[in-house]
Amino acid sequence: GKEEEDALSDLPPLKRLHEEAARCTRCPLHCHATQTVFGEGPADSQIMFVGEQPGDVEDLAGRPFIGPAGKVFDEAAAAAGIDRRQIYVTNAVKHFKYERRGKRRIHMRPDAGEVAHCRWWVAKEIEIIRPRIVVALGATAYLSLTGESRPIAEVRGMPIPMQEDRMLLVTTHPAAILRMPDEDLKVRSLEAFRSDMAGVRRLF
Ligand code: URA
């Protein structure tokens, strides 16, 4: 109602957006998820990382990248000299999509329609934060940010110009590394991810 609107309008823009997203019903994913997992980090961050969607741990806690994939991300960021407290971390899709198998909730990839609906929030986050660099972690983030479906291998490693002199960089998703069945491949992907993160660090 009106009072709620007034209370929201007193908030700084990013906080306000966060509050609004908490009530998002733009797509059906909100029905089964615990809560919206919005982006996190300073409103004046120079760099924004975009993942796919919250995982099981993030869905329960309400914070992005704090589970197993978050650990891989944090370690690679720290090794590259990127301080998580100074960056903005968010997801292309803000509700956890899963399939129930017994007690477990198994991650399911968001489809193009879900990504398109949630893009509204990602665009607003970019509009408010105005980062110099945006990093797409994986193909879903790349789709959200560009509207294009491409294999990551085709677009990783080269900066892509965005609006307002912003640069888009693309790398693997840390959760994809964790899901790799082959141990050698996993080690190599992790090395490539770390090297991409070091490349990101050199840009700002
Ligand atoms: N994977 C993501 O893409 N985002 C998270 O927040 C956690 C895991």
Side-chain angles (χ1 to χ4, degrees):
K2 174 132 192 352
E3 271 169 36
E4 207 174 310
E5 270 299 306
D6 289 346
L8 277 182
S9 64
D10 289 340
L11 293 173
L14 189 59
K15 276 234 156 62
R16 178 183 175 153
L17 193 70
H18 192 151
E19 294 289 324
E20 287 170 353
R23 288 183 255 119
C24 185
T25 55
R26 283 175 174 259
C27 83
L29 290 185
H30 75 277
C31 298
H32 301 289
T34 307
Q35 57 194 320
T36 302
V37 178
F38 202 66
E40 191 176 85
D44 61 353
S45 299
Q46 298 212 33
I47 176 157
M48 175 189 280
F49 289 87
V50 182
E52 183 195 77
Q53 63 165 347
D56 183 76
V57 178
E58 289 83 7
D59 169 77
L60 295 172
R63 295 181 53 205
F65 282 104
I66 58 161
K71 190 157 180 267
V72 173
F73 176 80
D74 283 349
E75 279 171 8
I82 298 170
D83 183 347
R84 170 122 184 207
R85 290 166 302 183
Q86 292 176 6
I87 62 181
Y88 189 80
V89 177
T90 193
N91 283 299
V93 169
K94 309 243 188 296
H95 280 115
F96 179 38
K97 181 180 182 181
Y98 62 92
E99 190 174 70
R100 198 169 269 291
R101 276 196 222 138
K103 280 191 185 162
R104 301 217 304 148
R105 303 191 299 171
I106 310 295
H107 158 273
M108 280 178 79
R109 214 171 197 202
D111 65 32
E114 287 147 358
V115 172
H117 277 105
C118 218
R119 229 182 142 181
W120 193 86
W121 296 110
V122 180
K124 290 276 180 200
E125 287 172 294
I126 293 176
E127 198 180 300
I128 292 170
I129 294 163
R130 310 179 81 222
R132 279 179 47 215
I133 300 163
V134 178
V135 183
L137 300 166
T140 301
Y142 182 79
L143 172 64
S144 167
L145 292 160
T146 66
E148 282 176 41
S149 278
R150 289 271 207 100
I152 285 309
E154 272 180 25
V155 284
R156 94 187 279 171
M158 51 174 174
I160 301 162
M162 294 176 83
Q163 281 178 338
E164 299 183 319
D165 274 334
R166 194 161 289 134
M167 277 301 174
L168 173 64
L169 289 163
V170 188
T171 185
T172 347
H173 196 293
I177 301 173
L178 290 175
R179 283 196 289 265
M180 285 183 176
D182 181 280
E183 204 46 47
D184 275 356
L185 200 57
K186 198 180 212 163
V187 169
R188 269 185 283 134
S189 316
L190 191 55
E191 270 168 22
F193 179 58
R194 291 202 169 130
S195 145
D196 284 350
M197 292 292 271
V200 168
R201 179 68 189 97
R202 273 183 249 114
L203 281 179
F204 74 102

